[in-house]
Amino acid sequence: MKSKVNRELPDDLMKQLNYQPFETTEIGNPEIQRVAPKVHVSTGDDKIVDSIKKVVDETLEDGMTISFHHHFRNGDYVFNKVMRVIIDAGIKNLTLAPSSLTGVMNDMVIEAIKAGTITNITSSGMRGSLGDFVSHGGLKNPVIFRSHGNRARSIEHGDIKIDVAFLGVPSADRLGNANGMKGDAVFGSLGYALMDAQYADKVVLLTDNIVDYPNTPASIKQTQVDYVVKVDKVGDPDKIGSGATRFTKDPKELKIASMVNDVITHSPYFKDGFSFQTGSGGAALAVTRYLRQAMIDNQIKASFALGGITKPTTDLLNEGLVKKVMDVQDFDKGAADSMHTNGDQQEIDASWYADPDNKGAMVDQLDVVILSALEIDTKFNVNVMTGSDGVIRGAIGGHQDAATGKLTIISAPLVRGRIATVVPDVTTVVTPGDSVDVLVTEFGIAINPKRTDLLDALSNIPGLPVYKIEDLQKMAEKRVGTPKPLEYTDRTVALIEYRDGTVIDSIKQVKD
């Protein structure tokens, strides 16, 4: 069985899990029946409990599905506190369904897998020691990787049925009204956690800051919450934004950012009222700075900015260059603080952000999108999941979702060290080439030949060389050579869903 991007899929798993292979980026207009959670009716006066153990004892059984959010990023204390109690309780065969997994969670997840506590995982991604562990066959069942929008879709469909959601928050009241804007470990938008709060059968809030009732604004509402647990500390505020945002001084990244800006400003989409999503990497932040100047020079204002938000984006909002910021996740303290003070920075949940199966997602309104890549191939397929060694070291995030924008730009160096970024075939297809319009490298750009309008608009621009992507691939190969083919076993360790729930690719176990 093959997906439309010509990837072999494991017949046994496809049948066992009732999957269909990926066919098209077009979603169509299906009629969807959503699910609803169980509700334990209560006046709410008895929600505060004194220990995680009490909650685990009252809610968890073998074989259940548990969830967490990743808004604390590498400053998260909640995940390890809760998992320690669950492992020690001897609970087995759980499905772990977080919005994503960060490095601070890795050791605990590996311990839980070895103990038989976790036997299934669905996530946006994983990195580091956990990615290596899974890639070498450490987990009993294959991981299911889903984009942020697809996770929302899967929860609403019932494909992910969360029994208990453990959600850390920097502030909550005694009944469970909570937000991410008040307290010591603020992170701003609770966008990914809002899905869990709405659809989980049991919702457990953990906080180090119980405030007077009612706590407003309430991102998570008392009508959704079953337990409130007071803990000593939910997170390290200094690590919540660490590693996510940095201003680059790298000449290569600055050159790529300048070229990305040239692509945007010479495209038909750069006009008053355009919308955009950038990102949090060094080159993406540099693009925001270049774009700011271009907007000032051309007297252009954006209608909205979307996605994971950084301080450079909220600075555009405060300058009046962007009218609204639609915020599903904040990557730094500056963006988190801005959401608390600026009413034009709107918190949105993951469904509103990117669920393909609703009545209109924000990504459907995007004009310009800048995304990164570990690899991109000559069919414009993008890999953001596995390294050139076949090991899992990334995340889908909102990559597939935002790539539905009218102008989707992949910014990436031609090579990284001795590893080619532009390749004949990517190791793992995550975002299909049909979604990608332009590749920007430090040597020049390549335009998807299906976009003849962009070929006309972007040709003959000084300082913006246009190549065929095959020529960029040959340039990369000439610099680093041809790598040896990767060796895998026959065992599938992960499936990559497209945002509609079909399977676009699979990941095999790496040979030792």
Side-chain angles (χ1 to χ4, degrees), residues 135 164 253 305 317 413 470 478 481:
S135 298
V164 186
E253 289 190 332
L317 177 68
E470 293 84 359
K478 185 176 180 180

Side-chain angles (χ1 to χ4, degrees), residues 3 5 11 14 24 72 110 120-121 126 133 138 161 174 177 280 293 331 347 452 454 480 507:
S3 66
V5 291
D11 287 341
M14 295 292 287
T24 177
F72 286 114
I110 292 171
N120 291 278
I121 297 175
M126 60 178 60
F133 180 78
K161 185 68 187 80
R174 60 185 175 82
N177 298 298
S280 62
Q293 192 59 51
F331 284 118
E347 180 179 49
T452 55
L454 293 177
V480 299
I507 301 173

Side-chain angles (χ1 to χ4, degrees), residues 64 126 173 196 240 311 364:
M64 283 186 166
M126 60 178 60
D173 62 33
D196 308 58
I240 290 172
K311 187 177 183 298
D364 297 330

Side-chain angles (χ1 to χ4, degrees), residues 321-339:
L321 294 172
V322 172
K323 293 180 180 178
K324 304 283 182 180
V325 168
M326 308 302 283
D327 188 345
V328 72
Q329 175 182 207
D330 292 299
F331 284 118
D332 56 34
K333 189 175 184 299
D337 289 344
S338 174
M339 201 183 85

